[in-house]
Amino acid sequence: MRYSNHFFLALFTAFLCITLSPVLAKPPAVYSAIQNLAEQGEWGKQGSSDRELLNAQSPTFYSFPPQKSGSSQTASVVEQGKTLYDRGQFTEAIKVLQQAAAAFKTSKDGLQEAMTLSNLSLAYQQLGLWAEAEEAIAQSLKLLQSGENTGSSGERSQLIAQALDVQGQLQLSQGQAEAALTTWQKAANIYQQIGDKARLTRNQINSAQALQALGLYLQANKTLNEVQQTLTTLPDSLLVATGLRSLGNIRRLVGDLSVSRLVLGKSLAVAKRVQSPKAIAEAQLSLGNTARAQQDTEAALQYYQEAAVSASSTTRIQAHLNLLSLLLEKNQDRDALALSSQIQSAISNLPPSRTSVYTRIKFAENLRQLKEKISIDTPSWLNIAQQLSTAIEQAQNLQDRRAESYAMGSLGELYEKTGQFSDAQELTEKALFTAQSINASDIAYQWQWQLGRILKKKGDIKGAIASYNVAYKTLQSLRGDLVALNPDVQFSFRENIEPVYRELVELLLRSPQGSSASVPFEKLDQRDASLLKANASLSRSPQEGINQDNLKLARDVIESLQLAELDNFFRSACLNPTQELDPVVDKKDQRAAVIYPIILPDRLDVILKLPNQDLRHYKTVIAQKDVEKTIAKLRKNLLNVTATARVQQQSQQIYDWLIRPAQTDLVNSGIKTLVFVLDGDLRNIPMAVLYDKQQKQYLLEKYAIALTPGLQLLDPKPLRQIQLNALTAGVSEKRPVEGKEFPELENVPRELKEIKSEVPNSEELLNQQFTQTNLQNKLQKVSFTVVHLATHGEFSSDAEKTFILTWDKLVKVKEFDNLLRVSDKNRFSGIELLVLSACQTAEGDKRAALGLAGIAMRAGVRSTLATLWSIDDRSTADVMSEFYRQLKAGANKAEALQGAQLVVFAKEKAPYFWAPYVLVGNWL
């Protein structure tokens, strides 16, 4: 497919009068794509391990041992392959390497042939040719392990380890993290035997990524710490600077941003001391990326500006593109316009390569954002389209189908934004076909989503639902692979992932009678269409003609979104659904109802699940910003003891949205417990405080209440069937820890004492005794059913800022499995209930309650009782002692919390004192 200038001049005549809408889908970040390519260009030279260390996830192109006579000409061909590989010209590199491998086979040089086959596998991997990559690496390993014509055992061992590294990379790229880990461990054993410390260190960084992908944070963190310690003990060298940069980049990838910045700072310092301009610029670029991820835009700007003076054109363009993106984000449009002219000149000098293709895609995206912001003719729509046209042509000439798919889909998105939907659909379908042909699901979901948007705008709601549903299914199939496949995803979850879920739900809940997600879409390929045939028959709910299939799918999608948010929070798909809610309310607790509020741009939808009944659906037409404004005002007033009247006024609005339409159904069904799967900002307020103005009652007075992230509910088991024994711990004294000042909690000793009176079979760790080590030792010796922590803590949407305080340390959320479980393999502890009685959500963080859900799920306990704001008051001790008293009397957890809160409510009507407590997880 070729795009001539004449074609574009005709096509873009209509563009000049069209106003563009906000950008949604994004191509891969240039800093990810180009940086990987730049680092992949370094060669793993046999016998020179003391001079090299490469980035994790960067496939190492291997060079040759001392040549046999007559093979120097073939080795020269391989050097040509290296040059092509470095430039991102992978198809040409493959041709050269195939020629070299055949020549080595003819000359019976098995060592050189095996190494060439390993490099060939790397080139195939770059193009997403997984079958060819597997065949090449399998041939390499077979040749090396046979020992035929493969040199000395020492040479052969080293090449076997290197081939295993390549195989591990291939396995991780295909989502086989466990297999990759096993393969890399085999390579590590060899590196240890032959004393190759540099490659062992690189291997450990890769293994840490596989551990992270498997959710084994404790082991991953331990491995990375060992790598860091090794690097910091070595004398200054380019190896150390590069290794620290690799380590810092991985720390950013897994979400450890503060550690990433610290390590990258050390990389920069070493690079300066060894006077390597290239290493200096690359460290500055990585520091800019980490600072940006931390939302430290001033520091990011400075680092990008410093990196932009690099002599390396690749690094300079990377820095300029990231700087341009940041200037646009900061609305410095004039500076961005000036910089775009510099970038355009530099890009025009880039030789054709994957680097060039991705650079043009990213540049076109930035130009489009700039065009939306300013009202001048530069850049023109024609200029933006020509960048993508050139990218498509280069990718096709390179036979780089992955890059071609990105470029083609990006041009389709440009057509979508300018309202040329037929052309947009044609390009998007071609981009999707290309992505599917190389099994690139991480790209395919973007074009399935884009196709859904286009069909929706064309009025084809059935087709739109079908396409969105396939995109959703693709995301579900990716899960743990998503971050590993596209490192930029974790920093753009709200732009690239979340809208797929929300826009599908919006279509499902507004679709006309007869529309169903099970309707096949003829444009999708056979594999996608097969996903849509499961529910051919449609049962209709009496309310609005929205059939039960669509209601069930909408509910499943919103629950899956909650799971995806937690995956993104932890940078890993470490949580697996274990129990669906329907059987719980249909069989185990037929007095419970589940309420799913869903905040959409123009309305608030609610799906209601009653025991053994069809799903109910109702909605309120109201703008999302108005819903969020009401929630924000309520949250602010809840912290004001004197604002009870305003709390009632605002909470009654939310009651009218969520509860009033269901009142009759709840009463007729004999419901006693409400279980909420909350969405968005609603998670920042306690449902107990919702106020029924007609009956002049809070929701707490009518129902026991619990929260759950839906499918994450652990296997429900009534606590009253279990003998209570508790481990209590707390910090009552003022503590300065890790640069933070934590005030005194004078009521903590009383709280722990009263728990002891209600649960005699308990042990206590107070103040100096409450350390992470002591807590773990207690848990290993005794199987406690309850762990009660009366200490400062904070919930945040940032995992690094979600913690609880021990006497001498802030325990972060990612350490919670280590805190409450004996090992990573022990996925669920015997702890039934975790209580956090003095925690709070981070001020100003609209998604702070995500941290609470993260702690609840990461701890591996069935239920978590926590506070949304901290109260150092006797009322906390009253609530907790009454809670345990009611548990002893046979109440379930939700009923016990309701009873405890009502005891305080009887004495003190201000919601500040009785409302902050929320129960997450199993309510039985």
Side-chain angles (χ1 to χ4, degrees):
M1 183 175 177
R2 296 290 187 270
Y3 297 87
S4 67
N5 286 339
H6 176 76
F7 173 79
F8 274 116
L9 286 171
L11 180 63
F12 277 82
T13 302
F15 277 21
L16 300 177
C17 302
I18 299 174
T19 301
L20 297 187
S21 59
V23 176
L24 291 176
K26 291 186 177 181
V30 169
Y31 67 74
S32 296
I34 300 180
Q35 186 166 343
N36 277 345
L37 286 170
E39 291 173 340
Q40 286 158 9
E42 301 187 41
W43 290 60
K45 298 187 174 85
Q46 186 178 14
S48 62
S49 60
D50 60 328
R51 296 194 303 273
E52 293 184 73
L53 184 70
L54 301 182
N55 186 26
Q57 267 198 315
S58 297
T60 308
F61 204 110
Y62 296 107
S63 282
F64 292 92
Q67 303 295 310
K68 294 182 178 180
S69 61
S71 63
S72 59
Q73 184 176 357
T74 307
S76 176
V77 173
V78 176
E79 284 294 323
Q80 181 187 353
K82 170 198 180 300
T83 302
L84 292 167
Y85 185 93
D86 287 353
R87 292 175 179 170
Q89 297 173 322
F90 301 115
T91 300
E92 294 303 315
I94 286 170
K95 293 176 182 177
V96 170
L97 291 171
Q98 287 172 332
Q99 177 186 343
F104 285 130
K105 184 174 184 177
T106 300
S107 64
K108 298 187 182 303
D109 191 340
L111 201 66
Q112 309 283 18
E113 182 187 355
M115 186 179 290
T116 303
L117 288 168
S118 292
N119 289 334
L120 186 58
S121 178
L122 291 176
Y124 281 135
Q125 289 180 47
Q126 290 297 320
L127 294 177
L129 300 174
W130 307 118
E132 292 86 343
E134 287 177 359
E135 183 179 359
I137 197 59
Q139 289 178 0
S140 175
L141 284 166
K142 182 179 180 181
L143 193 59
L144 289 166
Q145 289 164 350
S146 73
E148 184 178 352
N149 300 315
T150 53
S152 67
S153 61
E155 289 178 324
R156 191 165 60 250
S157 293
Q158 187 172 35
L159 289 188
I160 288 173
Q162 293 173 356
L164 288 170
D165 275 343
V166 173
Q167 187 179 51
Q169 180 60 48
L170 174 60
Q171 289 164 334
L172 187 65
S173 296
Q174 295 179 289
Q176 301 166 13
E178 195 163 355
L181 187 61
T182 301
T183 300
W184 279 328
Q185 186 56 57
K186 292 177 183 177
N189 293 338
I190 296 173
Y191 288 136
Q192 287 173 331
Q193 290 170 6
I194 64 178
D196 192 338
K197 293 183 179 179
R199 287 196 175 91
L200 176 61
T201 302
R202 184 190 64 218
N203 172 281
Q204 287 175 309
I205 295 175
N206 285 336
S207 295
Q209 279 189 273
L211 290 166
Q212 174 80 16
L214 292 168
L216 304 178
Y217 292 103
L218 177 60
Q219 294 179 33
N221 193 56
K222 181 181 178 182
T223 300
L224 291 175
N225 285 338
E226 289 173 354
V227 171
Q228 185 173 340
Q229 186 174 8
T230 299
L231 289 170
T232 53
T233 59
L234 297 175
D236 287 348
S237 66
L238 188 57
L239 178 151
V240 173
T242 308
L244 287 169
R245 187 180 76 251
S246 300
L247 184 60
N249 288 338
I250 293 301
R251 288 293 197 182
R252 180 178 66 247
L253 177 64
V254 301
D256 295 333
L257 300 181
S258 58
V259 177
S260 169
R261 193 157 173 179
L262 178 67
V263 173
L264 290 171
K266 291 180 179 179
S267 172
L268 178 59
V270 173
K272 287 180 177 178
R273 288 197 292 269
V274 300
Q275 299 181 350
S276 169
K278 180 175 183 290
I280 290 171
E282 288 173 346
Q284 289 166 335
L285 184 60
S286 291
L287 276 164
N289 295 338
T290 295
R292 187 171 185 182
Q294 291 177 307
Q295 300 182 330
D296 186 354
T297 54
E298 293 303 321
L301 283 170
Q302 182 178 344
Y303 284 127
Y304 289 150
Q305 289 166 343
E306 291 171 351
V309 301
S310 169
S312 164
S313 60
T314 299
T315 305
R316 186 168 59 252
I317 291 175
Q318 277 184 269
H320 273 147
L321 279 170
N322 289 355
L323 181 59
L324 175 60
S325 175
L326 199 52
L327 289 171
L328 289 169
E329 188 178 294
K330 290 173 62 66
N331 295 315
Q332 296 181 13
D333 300 336
R334 295 297 165 183
D335 291 339
L337 181 61
L339 180 59
S340 68
S341 298
Q342 295 181 46
I343 295 174
Q344 183 151 347
S345 175
I347 286 177
S348 64
N349 295 323
L350 285 176
S353 66
R354 176 179 284 183
T355 301
S356 172
V357 173
Y358 283 168
T359 298
R360 290 179 185 277
I361 295 171
K362 183 66 176 178
F363 185 48
E365 178 194 331
N366 286 335
L367 287 179
R368 186 177 60 201
Q369 292 181 40
L370 181 61
K371 184 69 175 174
E372 292 167 5
K373 284 168 160 274
I374 59 178
S375 57
I376 60 176
D377 293 336
T378 304
S380 69
W381 302 124
L382 177 59
N383 177 262
I384 298 170
Q386 284 175 332
Q387 289 292 339
L388 294 171
S389 169
T390 303
I392 293 170
E393 188 170 356
Q394 287 186 355
Q396 290 175 335
N397 290 337
L398 292 165
Q399 297 179 45
D400 189 336
R401 306 211 74 190
R402 186 177 181 90
E404 180 187 350
S405 179
Y406 263 124
M408 190 95 65
S410 297
L411 185 58
E413 183 186 12
L414 183 62
Y415 281 37
E416 177 200 355
K417 301 305 178 186
T418 56
Q420 296 180 269
F421 299 130
S422 295
D423 295 317
Q425 182 175 343
E426 179 184 355
L427 282 165
T428 302
E429 287 170 352
K430 289 179 178 178
L432 175 57
F433 177 81
T434 301
Q436 290 170 331
S437 71
I438 56 172
N439 295 319
S441 297
D442 59 313
I443 309 176
Y445 94 84
Q446 297 183 56
W447 309 143
Q448 290 157 348
W449 170 32
Q450 185 164 296
L451 192 57
R453 298 196 308 266
I454 293 166
L455 292 170
K456 177 182 174 183
K457 291 169 183 174
K458 291 178 73 173
D460 183 359
I461 300 302
K462 289 183 181 180
I465 290 176
S467 193
Y468 266 100
N469 192 34
V470 176
Y472 159 67
K473 296 281 189 183
T474 303
L475 279 175
Q476 292 298 95
S477 70
L478 281 171
R479 278 205 69 202
D481 306 335
L482 196 58
V483 171
L485 289 168
N486 185 356
D488 188 44
V489 165
Q490 60 181 304
F491 299 122
S492 57
F493 177 84
R494 295 192 69 178
E495 291 79 26
N496 282 10
I497 306 295
E498 183 174 347
V500 180
Y501 293 85
R502 292 199 179 278
E503 290 167 18
L504 173 55
V505 169
E506 191 274 335
L507 281 170
L508 291 168
L509 296 184
R510 77 156 191 175
S511 58
Q513 192 163 353
S515 295
S516 171
S518 61
V519 178
F521 174 47
E522 66 276 5
K523 295 280 188 176
L524 301 174
D525 77 354
Q526 189 172 4
R527 287 172 299 164
D528 288 342
S530 67
L531 293 171
L532 307 176
K533 295 178 180 177
N535 301 314
S537 61
L538 306 180
S539 57
R540 309 220 165 273
S541 85
Q543 279 92 350
E544 301 174 20
I546 297 180
N547 62 71
Q548 284 292 306
D549 292 320
N550 279 11
L551 287 177
K552 288 175 182 176
L553 180 56
R555 183 186 62 164
D556 291 345
V557 171
I558 210 67
E559 286 189 345
S560 297
L561 173 58
Q562 299 233 0
L563 186 60
E565 285 182 301
L566 288 170
D567 288 347
N568 184 62
F569 181 77
F570 286 116
R571 304 293 189 258
S572 172
C574 57
L575 305 171
N576 294 310
T578 59
Q579 172 70 52
E580 292 189 9
L581 281 178
D582 282 3
V584 182
V585 297
D586 285 343
K587 297 177 182 179
K588 293 192 177 184
D589 187 359
Q590 296 183 13
R591 298 191 306 166
V594 187
I595 297 175
Y596 300 81
I598 303 167
I599 303 174
L600 297 172
D602 59 351
R603 65 186 193 269
L604 177 60
D605 284 81
V606 180
I607 296 175
L608 172 66
K609 166 61 183 174
L610 294 167
N612 301 299
Q613 298 180 43
D614 281 348
L615 297 175
R616 305 289 207 275
H617 169 248
Y618 46 95
K619 66 183 179 183
T620 302
V621 178
I622 183 171
Q624 179 175 347
K625 64 180 181 180
D626 293 330
V627 173
E628 293 175 348
K629 188 183 299 182
T630 300
I631 294 169
K633 287 179 181 178
L634 174 57
R635 168 70 191 197
K636 181 179 179 181
N637 286 323
L638 281 168
L639 302 181
N640 184 348
V641 178
T642 65
T644 300
R646 291 196 296 274
V647 166
Q648 291 179 350
Q649 180 183 3
Q650 288 143 7
S651 66
Q652 73 175 333
Q653 289 182 273
I654 302 173
Y655 182 95
D656 289 344
W657 298 334
L658 304 189
I659 308 299
R660 190 168 303 286
Q663 268 186 168
T664 301
D665 287 332
L666 294 173
V667 171
N668 292 342
S669 300
I671 299 301
K672 301 297 182 184
T673 302
L674 297 182
V675 181
F676 289 89
V677 181
L678 292 177
D679 184 31
D681 289 10
L682 285 167
R683 288 178 285 204
N684 289 331
I685 57 172
M687 293 295 101
V689 81
L690 301 191
Y691 190 68
D692 182 350
K693 185 178 181 180
Q694 294 179 3
Q695 297 184 9
K696 300 192 181 304
Q697 285 184 309
Y698 291 102
L699 198 61
L700 171 71
E701 299 176 78
K702 299 200 277 187
Y703 299 100
I705 297 167
L707 310 177
T708 179
L711 293 176
Q712 276 302 306
L713 181 67
L714 302 183
D715 185 24
K717 192 174 184 181
L719 188 60
R720 57 178 172 267
Q721 296 178 5
I722 301 170
Q723 183 65 39
L724 284 182
N725 65 325
L727 175 60
T728 65
V731 177
S732 63
E733 298 180 14
K734 179 180 179 181
R735 295 294 298 158
V737 177
E738 298 182 22
K740 296 178 180 288
E741 288 284 340
F742 295 95
E744 178 186 10
L745 294 171
E746 63 180 21
N747 286 286
V748 164
R750 174 176 176 263
E751 180 180 334
L752 300 188
K753 183 178 179 181
E754 293 195 6
I755 294 171
K756 177 73 172 178
S757 68
E758 296 298 334
V759 187
N761 187 15
S762 63
E763 298 186 36
E764 178 183 297
L765 297 172
L766 181 61
N767 291 330
Q768 290 93 334
Q769 296 178 316
F770 180 23
T771 64
Q772 184 170 348
T773 301
N774 287 345
L775 186 68
Q776 288 172 316
N777 288 340
K778 290 283 188 183
L779 290 171
Q780 287 176 351
K781 292 176 182 177
V782 180
S783 180
F784 293 98
T785 55
V786 178
V787 174
H788 185 113
L789 306 179
T791 182
H792 289 287
E794 186 163 287
F795 309 127
S796 167
S797 58
D798 183 346
E800 286 195 319
K801 297 177 182 176
T802 298
F803 63 86
I804 64 160
L805 171 71
T806 61
W807 178 254
D808 56 358
K809 180 183 178 182
L810 303 183
V811 180
K812 305 294 176 61
V813 64
K814 287 187 179 181
E815 300 176 83
F816 251 65
D817 62 340
N818 182 31
L819 186 68
L820 299 180
R821 298 173 183 166
V822 176
S823 71
D824 282 310
K825 293 181 181 179
N826 183 17
R827 299 311 300 168
F828 297 111
S829 66
I831 300 170
E832 291 290 327
L833 176 65
L834 169 66
V835 181
L836 305 169
S837 65
C839 291
Q840 62 187 22
T841 50
E843 186 176 353
D845 186 345
K846 294 174 68 175
R847 295 196 164 200
L850 188 63
L852 169 56
I855 280 184
M857 296 301 104
R858 193 64 187 162
V861 299
R862 296 186 189 279
S863 312
T864 300
L865 172 57
T867 51
L868 294 179
W869 58 88
S870 179
I871 310 169
D872 184 25
D873 184 84
R874 292 178 61 89
S875 62
T876 301
D878 291 341
V879 167
M880 292 303 157
S881 61
E882 182 62 28
F883 173 69
Y884 288 107
R885 187 176 300 119
Q886 300 230 4
L887 285 179
K888 281 175 56 182
N892 67 32
K893 285 173 254 187
E895 293 167 345
L897 178 59
Q898 180 191 24
Q901 288 177 282
L902 287 173
V903 166
V904 174
F905 176 74
K907 303 174 186 175
E908 177 55 72
K909 300 303 183 187
Y912 172 82
F913 294 102
W914 56 261
Y917 306 94
V918 291
L919 179 68
V920 181
N922 173 28
W923 65 91
L924 298 180

